[in-house]
Amino acid sequence: MLVLRLLNVVAPAYFLCISLVTFVLQIFLFIPSMFRDPSTTPLFSPALLHGALFLFLSANALGNYVLVIQSSPEDLGKDLNLGKGAEVADWLDGSRSPGSALPSTHFCRLCARVTQRHDHHCFFTGNCIGSRNMRNFIMFCLYTSLACLDSLVAGMAYISATLSMSFADPLAFLTLLPHSISQFFSGALLSSEMFVILMLYLWLGIGLACAGFCCHQMLLILRGQTRYQVRKGMVVRARPWRENLREVFGKKWLLGLLIPVLNVESNYRRQKEK
């Protein structure tokens, strides 16, 4: 438990550090290198368009990251009926009396909070993912993967221009790291260039991981399930996939795709059933 609590503190700091390094490299290295002649740069140049795209992706990723943290499940625990004589400690083993709470309600040991429609505990946000912040969490994963893949493309363009190499061959990227390590220790490669190459593989890994996690989460949502329900083997009543999507994303789902907003319609199904 001590290791998990330590990871709950280190992981968010690691994510913020990676985000800061990515922002600095994009703004002060990659984007300026795209300007061949600033005095003759047109208004809608590729460099300006790339900079606007990166800022849009970064703002949405960080904005939804903050909303995931702010949408704490602790507030939900105050409104839940744990049953007569029940204490929060009774939820440590996941047990509950029949009808004492909504399905999939879970008490997290790390957060010490009760989460409605608990999905999992995210160490990178230091928070549990449930009904209130599920949409923001998915948007966070989506825009983080897009921002990482955008940085990967910009970094490859920078390395291609700096080292005068081509990535037309698919094997060029796979052999880039071992060749760069040998050149770095032989003194033929600068430390800054080696750092960018290492960041390329880090962006690739984070981007693919977030994209895969987002796709898996969307499949669970379409089926009306959570990771907690799958792990516990809970039976879920079959519902139309449109209703499952509306429960998570709400009616104004398009607004959440463009700007980071709170999921104010998270109680859609409960209001409908009433």
Side-chain angles (χ1 to χ4, degrees):
M1 181 60 66
L2 180 61
V3 176
L4 294 179
R5 292 186 182 276
L6 181 61
L7 181 62
N8 203 41
V9 177
V10 174
Y14 173 77
F15 170 77
L16 294 177
C17 181
I18 295 298
S19 302
L20 179 60
V21 171
T22 303
F23 183 83
V24 171
L25 289 177
Q26 282 272 16
I27 299 301
F28 296 101
L29 190 62
F30 298 160
I31 296 179
S33 65
M34 299 179 185
F35 290 96
R36 297 182 179 179
D37 186 2
S39 60
T40 60
T41 300
L43 179 61
F44 297 103
S45 65
L48 292 178
L49 293 178
H50 172 77
L53 175 62
F54 173 73
L55 292 177
F56 171 76
L57 297 177
S58 300
N60 275 276
L62 293 178
N64 283 286
Y65 179 81
V66 173
L67 292 180
V68 169
I69 298 176
Q70 286 186 347
S71 302
S72 171
E74 185 177 10
D75 299 333
L76 295 174
K78 300 177 182 179
D79 301 328
L80 293 175
N81 178 23
L82 301 182
K84 184 177 180 180
E87 301 291 340
V88 176
D90 298 336
W91 291 68
L92 285 173
D93 57 353
S95 62
R96 60 178 183 271
S97 57
S100 63
L102 297 175
S104 302
T105 308
H106 176 68
F107 180 82
C108 179
R109 295 173 179 266
L110 296 175
C111 294
R113 300 167 180 168
V114 178
T115 309
Q116 179 184 334
R117 285 193 62 82
H118 176 81
D119 189 86
H120 69 285
H121 181 88
C122 177
F123 289 98
F124 286 98
T125 60
N127 203 0
C128 276
I129 307 301
S131 59
R132 289 191 61 184
N133 53 11
M134 174 59 74
R135 184 182 71 175
N136 295 120
F137 177 75
I138 293 178
M139 291 295 102
F140 160 68
C141 292
L142 174 63
Y143 281 107
T144 298
S145 63
L146 293 178
C148 288
L149 296 179
D150 176 81
S151 301
L152 174 64
V153 173
M156 291 176 62
Y158 173 80
I159 291 297
S160 178
T162 303
L163 302 181
S164 300
M165 62 178 303
S166 175
F167 289 98
D169 185 4
L171 296 178
F173 183 79
L174 298 178
T175 58
L176 175 62
L177 183 60
H179 290 169
S180 301
I181 293 177
S182 61
Q183 292 180 2
F184 175 75
F185 286 105
S186 63
L189 196 65
L190 299 177
S191 300
S192 59
E193 297 171 348
M194 185 64 198
F195 179 76
V196 172
I197 292 174
L198 292 177
M199 289 299 299
L200 293 180
Y201 289 91
L202 183 61
W203 288 326
L204 178 63
I206 296 177
L208 293 180
C210 289
F213 195 89
C214 183
C215 293
H216 179 256
Q217 203 71 43
M218 285 298 301
L219 289 176
L220 291 177
I221 292 176
L222 291 174
R223 294 162 54 184
Q225 290 182 310
T226 64
R227 293 169 61 90
Y228 177 74
Q229 290 175 334
V230 174
R231 187 170 66 252
K232 294 295 182 179
M234 298 180 179
V235 180
V236 180
R237 180 173 60 90
R239 295 185 303 162
W241 63 270
R242 293 180 181 272
E243 186 177 347
N244 295 330
L245 285 178
R246 183 177 296 181
E247 181 183 9
V248 175
F249 294 95
K251 295 181 180 180
K252 301 179 181 179
W253 58 271
L254 183 59
L255 182 63
L257 289 177
L258 300 177
I259 57 176
V261 292
L262 283 173
N263 190 4
V264 296
E265 300 181 5
S266 59
N267 298 327
Y268 167 77
R269 189 180 72 170
R270 285 188 297 169
Q271 293 176 357
K272 184 177 179 181
E273 290 177 350
K274 291 180 181 179

